[in-house]
Amino acid sequence: RPPEAMVVPVETLTVRVGGRDYRVRALRDRLQAADPLFGVLWPAGIALAELMATYPVSGKRILEAGCGLALPSLVLKRRGADVTATDHHPQAEEFLRFNARANGIPAVPFKLGSWNEVQLGAFDLIIGADLLYERGQPELLAGFLDRHAAPGAEIVIADPGRRQLAPFRKLMASGNRECTETRFPPRGRLLRFA
């Protein structure tokens, strides 16, 4: 007989982005899962979603890397944007589907895979929030971005001030990508690469 599936308690949070309320299913306790970084509505994700509520997206093919609960993708899809979400976590697609339905938003295309294996084509805008939490991720993320950025693509990364941000910025600069930065509390940065 197969082992019982682990039931992980969830909660539905309401967050206001761009003047609209979004209902988002999240894990009730981030330490209850094998991956404590998944299933949480992080401040960087909220900051990126807020930016996406007004960001110019008309005619752009958009990719959210490491989407987690995918709040920025939901905001973009509600605006009618052509957005695809991707994550390596096996529950990300299930949470994304639930969150889209809970908000009356059409389904967001999703692709499961890690940054070094997934191949999705070229995008005009690539976004991501709170992606640089482990050593080695700056190189993986920079490589992923290089493979998926169309000529002239914009890249927007929201980071809460993690240590891996500095090496990532150096890698992006070595690829001749100029960066502009704005801040969000308490120590977060929204980085726009062109």
Side-chain angles (χ1 to χ4, degrees):
R1 183 177 147 163
E4 295 295 318
M6 184 172 86
V7 177
V8 180
V10 296
E11 62 184 343
T12 300
L13 306 171
T14 301
V15 60
R16 193 151 185 87
V17 176
R20 298 186 80 156
D21 286 339
Y22 288 82
R23 296 183 60 207
V24 179
R25 176 184 275 178
L27 294 178
R28 189 173 297 145
D29 177 2
R30 69 181 182 177
L31 299 178
Q32 68 196 347
D35 180 354
L37 299 171
F38 175 76
V40 178
L41 191 56
W42 296 104
I46 297 169
L48 181 60
E50 192 66 49
L51 179 63
M52 291 300 112
T54 58
Y55 205 82
V57 296
S58 180
K60 293 179 183 173
R61 186 167 184 240
I62 305 165
L63 176 64
E64 183 178 4
C67 68
L69 299 179
L71 181 61
S73 287
L74 296 173
V75 169
L76 288 164
K77 192 68 170 181
R78 178 171 267 165
R79 293 182 60 203
D82 176 9
V83 60
T84 299
T86 184
D87 201 295
H88 75 279
H89 197 280
Q91 290 181 294
E93 184 174 17
E94 173 190 337
F95 276 72
L96 175 57
R97 276 194 202 136
F98 178 90
N99 291 335
R101 280 193 310 268
N103 291 284
I105 296 171
V108 175
F110 176 84
K111 180 68 174 176
L112 180 68
S114 65
W115 291 335
N116 59 352
E117 66 184 28
V118 71
Q119 297 295 328
L120 301 166
F123 292 84
D124 306 302
L125 172 61
I126 303 174
I127 63 172
D130 210 346
L131 302 175
L132 299 164
Y133 46 88
E134 290 180 8
R135 191 177 247 173
Q137 286 182 319
E139 294 82 7
L140 284 173
L141 180 56
F144 175 86
L145 295 171
D146 283 345
R147 285 192 311 279
H148 291 92
E154 303 166 79
I155 296 167
V156 180
I157 303 295
D159 186 88
R162 295 194 187 274
R163 260 183 241 180
Q164 303 305 323
L165 183 59
F168 174 72
R169 288 182 80 153
K170 286 181 185 174
L171 286 167
M172 296 297 283
S174 71
N176 295 321
R177 291 203 176 264
E178 292 186 26
C179 180
T180 58
E181 175 184 307
T182 56
R183 301 275 179 128
F184 63 90
R187 301 177 331 192
R189 292 175 169 88
L190 281 163
L191 306 172
R192 298 180 202 189
F193 296 94

